[in-house]
Amino acid sequence: MRGSATGARPDLEHLVPEYIKAFQPYIPSKPDDVLCKMLGCPRLYRLNNNENPLGPPPAAQKIIAGYPPPRAAIYPSGDAYHLRCRLADRFGLHPDQFLVGNGANEVISFVIKAFCQEGDNIVTADRTFAVYEWVALFSGFGAHLVPLRDFDFDDEALLERVDARTKILFVCNPNNPTGTYWSEQRLRRFLDRLAGRQIVVIDEAYAEFVEQADFPDGLQLLADYPNLVVFRTFSKMYGLAGLRIGYLAGSREVVDIIRRTCVVYSVNGLAQEAALAALADHDHIPATRQLVAEAKAGLTAELDGLGLSYVNGEGNFLMVKLPMNDALAYRRLMAHGVMIRSMTGFRFPNWIRISIAGPQAMSALVEALQKVLSNDR
Ligand SMILES: *Cc1c(COP(=O)(O)O)cnc(C)c1O
């Protein structure tokens, strides 16, 4: 009989909020093996996610290799207790000033849930890490997007977009994908002008790559700015992207609020232990920085040779402008076994972002670019 409860389709028109109807879902790329089969490439260099080609530090690799399988049956520490203690030691803060998440991606949601309610908005740049904007929008909040200025976060314009319903400002420092950064002086001036009326998030996903003397350490600024929240991740420098672990830090007062929105047990035990080991390593950061510096020098020389313009800032990535559509370039480069990030999704049409990797991957990229640009398929 039609219309009976069993098998009736859900009334989505009525069930789904308008902001969900309006939201375009992000479609992740297919797994490597599927892509390779589709595009006919024998080997794939992944230069799309800013992963560390050196992998995790050796001490973390040892933890991963030796992880006792029975431990998989046991719930992990629900609040990453030991890791928070180690972070507190390392950075001179209190363990309760840290919240660990399933990647820094998860802590973005924690903060937005903690402070935004219906009618509120966040302020960030139009061309930055998109997850701040996405979480705000699919949660039913506004996202005020401020254009970059010379590829950089525009402090004056950000302040102008703050209104009575703005709860959080997100600044990515250095910015993904442009690599620009604010100096400590500039960040302090910005925080001084907001004077605690909003929460300011500084996303420092790439902080460990930056060697500039005037680059601010957000964790050290927490003492002066109790409305500041700092994001860090183990995915980039520490090579643990696959285990999904990142964290936020803030004043105890602010973190006590954000903690209410955390889902306990979202960070697995292996990730917690590998992160602990990774933090203790002393050689991994300099070795990675050296690899990135050498590879960037080589790659920029090649790009100059190809007559391509690029934005080479901080971080283990580089943005390149192509004389062609970036989605097409993505497909053609894939056919040569090189995966880059096409940038239309970041509102940079005809640009690609390249993650910096070792000599073999960089040569493969340059060769593939040459072929694609000469239209040699
Ligand atoms: C990669 C990245 C993150 C999130 O990384 P997780 O893997 O979720 O820890 C956050 N912000 C920026 C700018 C990033 O590039």
Side-chain angles (χ1 to χ4, degrees):
M1 193 182 88
R2 289 180 70 87
S4 73
T6 3
R9 294 178 58 203
D11 183 1
L12 295 181
E13 183 52 33
H14 165 73
L15 288 168
V16 182
E18 288 309 316
Y19 53 85
I20 295 292
K21 286 181 191 154
F23 190 79
Q24 289 285 339
Y26 173 75
I27 306 190
S29 57
K30 296 251 182 325
D32 291 7
D33 57 328
V34 177
L35 277 173
C36 284
K37 211 173 262 176
M38 269 166 52
L39 295 157
C41 52
R43 189 205 187 296
L44 188 61
Y45 292 101
R46 299 178 56 95
L47 304 177
N48 63 326
N49 271 341
N50 303 341
E51 293 151 352
N52 188 335
L54 298 181
Q61 300 208 15
K62 210 172 141 200
I63 294 287
I64 295 164
Y67 195 72
R71 199 88 64 80
I74 310 296
Y75 277 98
S77 163
D79 59 358
Y81 181 87
H82 289 300
L83 180 58
R84 287 187 301 106
C85 291
R86 182 71 58 82
L87 288 167
D89 258 7
R90 162 68 61 93
F91 298 114
L93 299 169
H94 190 278
D96 289 346
Q97 291 187 265
F98 293 91
L99 291 174
V100 182
N102 192 259
N105 269 317
E106 193 186 37
V107 304
I108 298 173
S109 312
F110 293 166
V111 179
I112 290 179
K113 277 187 258 187
F115 293 103
C116 292
Q117 58 185 315
E118 197 182 345
D120 287 344
N121 65 72
I122 65 148
V123 170
T124 189
D126 62 342
R127 289 178 290 182
T128 183
F129 192 61
V131 181
Y132 327 127
E133 172 190 343
W134 291 343
V135 174
L137 293 178
F138 68 53
S139 305
F141 311 125
H144 293 183
L145 304 181
V146 176
L148 295 180
R149 185 189 182 93
D150 293 334
F151 298 101
D152 196 7
F153 268 70
D154 183 346
D155 35 11
E156 288 301 324
L158 288 164
L159 291 169
E160 274 167 28
R161 282 312 304 278
V162 170
D163 64 22
R165 300 304 303 269
T166 301
K167 292 290 183 70
I168 313 166
L169 293 97
F170 286 90
V171 176
C172 190
N173 205 41
N175 188 32
N176 174 7
T178 57
T180 53
Y181 73 96
W182 284 2
S183 67
E184 174 163 348
Q185 191 191 24
R186 192 166 169 196
L187 176 57
R188 280 184 179 275
R189 206 176 46 207
F190 184 78
L191 289 161
D192 287 336
R193 287 179 62 183
L194 285 166
R197 285 182 297 268
Q198 285 79 25
I199 298 294
V200 177
V201 171
I202 304 296
D203 184 344
E204 296 187 340
Y206 299 95
E208 297 90 352
F209 291 92
V210 185
E211 296 179 68
Q212 309 288 348
D214 63 349
F215 179 74
D217 177 346
L219 299 176
Q220 298 311 309
L221 293 182
L222 291 175
D224 293 340
Y225 299 98
N227 63 325
L228 178 62
V229 171
V230 176
F231 290 172
R232 297 262 176 107
T233 178
F234 288 95
S235 294
K236 307 289 162 56
M237 176 57 85
Y238 290 109
L240 294 172
L243 294 187
R244 314 301 307 126
I245 182 163
Y247 62 92
L248 65 73
S251 63
R252 286 183 74 173
E253 200 182 6
V254 163
V255 172
D256 282 345
I257 297 297
I258 301 173
R259 188 178 300 110
R260 300 170 193 199
T261 70
C262 291
V263 179
V264 81
Y265 299 130
S266 74
V267 186
N268 71 76
L270 178 55
Q272 293 183 33
E273 287 193 32
L276 258 177
L279 271 182
D281 185 279
H282 295 292
D283 304 322
H284 192 68
I285 293 182
T288 304
R289 284 176 171 178
Q290 189 183 338
L291 179 144
V292 170
E294 284 170 8
K296 271 190 172 179
L299 178 59
T300 51
E302 295 284 358
L303 294 171
D304 289 336
L306 289 168
L308 294 172
S309 47
Y310 52 85
V311 180
N312 178 16
E314 302 303 319
N316 60 339
F317 51 85
L318 193 78
M319 250 176 70
V320 183
K321 187 166 191 195
L322 297 181
M324 66 192 294
N325 176 280
D326 53 305
L328 180 63
Y330 172 88
R331 285 197 303 276
R332 296 241 177 105
L333 289 168
M334 275 298 293
H336 294 287
V338 178
M339 183 192 275
I340 49 79
R341 175 72 65 180
S342 61
M343 297 295 287
T344 294
F346 278 79
R347 303 190 174 94
F348 275 112
N350 295 359
W351 289 75
I352 59 172
R353 191 193 65 199
I354 298 166
S355 305
I356 302 301
Q360 221 185 343
M362 293 290 95
S363 308
L365 164 77
V366 169
E367 260 176 59
L369 259 181
Q370 281 163 341
K371 288 190 183 129
V372 165
L373 290 171
S374 63
N375 226 342
D376 196 10
R377 305 295 313 174

